[in-house]
Amino acid sequence: MKNRQLVIQNKESQEESSVPIEDIGFVVIENNQVYISIPLINALTENNVAVIFCNEKHLPFTMTLPLDCNTVQNQIFSAQIEAGLPLKKQCWKSIIEQKIRNQSKVLEKYSKSAVELKRLACEVKSGDVTNREAVAAKIYWDSFFEENWTRDRYGEYPNNLLNYGYAILRAATARALSGSGLLPTFGIHHHNKYDAYALADDMMEPYRPFVDDIVIEYVNKNSSEMELTKEFKSEILKSLTGDVHIGKMTHPLMVALSMTSASFSKVLTGKAQKLALPEFC
């Protein structure tokens, strides 16, 4: 770091470049031979920049998040921990409804029938007790890939592309939640004891179709390329600044995530009645 700038130095070529820290939302460090200074990490974190470190497989593995980033954090933490089950179930209902609606719009973009998904979105009950999400997912993925293909974290191509995209989206969601004074650990639906970002996994659900769209388009154009490429990774990162509708306004996805997170904070503290959720456009 120098003069509030992130300075990148290449030891082999001696080339140097810099970027203002205030202009950065994410730093993805993919090469395991990169060295980064502690003052830079602190400055990035102070500016609510998510620093994402990849593992030896070049997949996002861990990230930095600030521990103190909101002036009313204690109040929000308390409201989040004490939130009742009915409130959580209603929030989850809204999230799944919007996720399925967004999936239906992705289907329409690629000239596929969305009738079933639109119907399923209207059938979601509190807490999604009838699991309309899973029913919609089966119809959704069968429309794009072979019937014997299944969406699985460790499954066959193009699961590797989806996994990378979702990992970046998850980091972006955790960043937004932290910026709104929320604990990403306390989810409203996801609650695996080994999941450090359960709330991020909840809040990113209606945003997943934005990643799906990039993956589907990439697969259609590059059917012979089954590995993670720099081109694909670049497209995923560009999605963070892509257009998202919330209400009648259009925002970059990063901003939309912050709006969704802020709205959840307001719902918890009784300042709002519903979540601000994204619409695929």
Side-chain angles (χ1 to χ4, degrees), residues 8-243:
I8 304 167
Q9 299 172 332
N10 188 315
K11 287 189 175 181
E12 293 181 358
S13 66
Q14 299 300 310
E15 292 180 356
E16 186 174 294
S17 58
S18 61
V19 184
I21 289 175
E22 64 182 3
D23 293 342
I24 302 172
F26 300 86
V27 175
V28 181
I29 299 178
E30 182 177 318
N31 193 312
N32 284 343
Q33 296 186 27
V34 169
Y35 288 86
I36 182 170
S37 71
I38 297 298
L40 175 58
I41 292 175
N42 286 335
L44 290 168
T45 305
E46 182 183 4
N47 202 59
N48 199 26
V49 178
V51 183
I52 304 165
F53 298 92
C54 296
N55 60 17
E56 66 280 0
K57 296 179 180 179
H58 306 285
L59 295 173
F61 185 71
T62 189
M63 66 178 291
T64 62
L65 280 177
L67 293 175
D68 185 10
C69 59
N70 193 292
T71 55
V72 291
Q73 203 164 43
N74 187 53
Q75 177 190 356
I76 298 172
F77 281 0
S78 297
Q80 188 178 354
I81 294 168
E82 295 170 4
L85 191 58
L87 176 63
K88 291 179 180 179
K89 285 186 173 182
Q90 278 303 115
C91 286
W92 186 242
K93 176 180 183 290
S94 299
I95 286 169
I96 296 306
E97 282 176 341
Q98 194 57 45
K99 177 184 180 180
I100 297 174
R101 290 193 191 102
N102 287 343
Q103 288 175 326
S104 72
K105 290 186 178 181
V106 174
L107 286 173
E108 289 178 334
K109 177 180 177 179
Y110 293 92
S111 302
K112 298 181 183 294
S113 174
V115 175
E116 281 297 298
L117 262 68
K118 289 180 178 180
R119 178 182 62 79
L120 288 168
C122 297
E123 294 178 354
V124 179
K125 300 183 183 299
S126 178
D128 191 26
V129 291
T130 56
N131 206 5
R132 298 295 89 183
E133 179 188 16
V135 177
K138 174 73 169 117
I139 297 170
Y140 179 67
W141 291 119
D142 283 353
S143 298
F144 290 113
F145 305 121
E146 297 176 0
E147 287 191 13
N148 60 350
W149 183 89
T150 55
R151 167 68 194 129
D152 189 279
R153 184 176 180 182
Y154 304 104
E156 297 178 352
Y157 169 88
N159 275 298
N160 59 330
L161 305 184
L162 290 165
N163 292 342
Y164 186 89
Y166 292 156
I168 295 297
L169 176 61
R170 189 179 191 234
T173 308
R175 170 187 180 269
L177 292 169
S178 181
S180 297
L182 293 156
L183 275 171
T185 303
F186 286 95
I188 58 176
H189 179 76
H190 291 88
H191 53 269
N192 188 311
K193 66 180 180 179
Y194 300 109
D195 188 352
Y197 298 114
L199 185 59
D201 291 333
D202 291 331
M203 291 297 164
M204 68 183 273
E205 290 295 345
Y207 287 90
R208 284 180 185 265
F210 293 87
V211 171
D212 301 342
D213 175 42
I214 292 173
V215 172
I216 292 163
E217 187 169 339
Y218 182 82
V219 169
N220 288 344
K221 291 180 179 179
N222 305 274
S223 56
S224 61
E225 180 57 70
M226 301 178 69
E227 301 299 324
L228 287 167
T229 64
K230 288 185 177 179
E231 178 190 358
F232 172 75
K233 293 174 183 178
S234 176
E235 289 301 313
I236 287 296
L237 290 173
K238 286 179 185 176
S239 72
L240 299 175
T241 56
D243 288 344

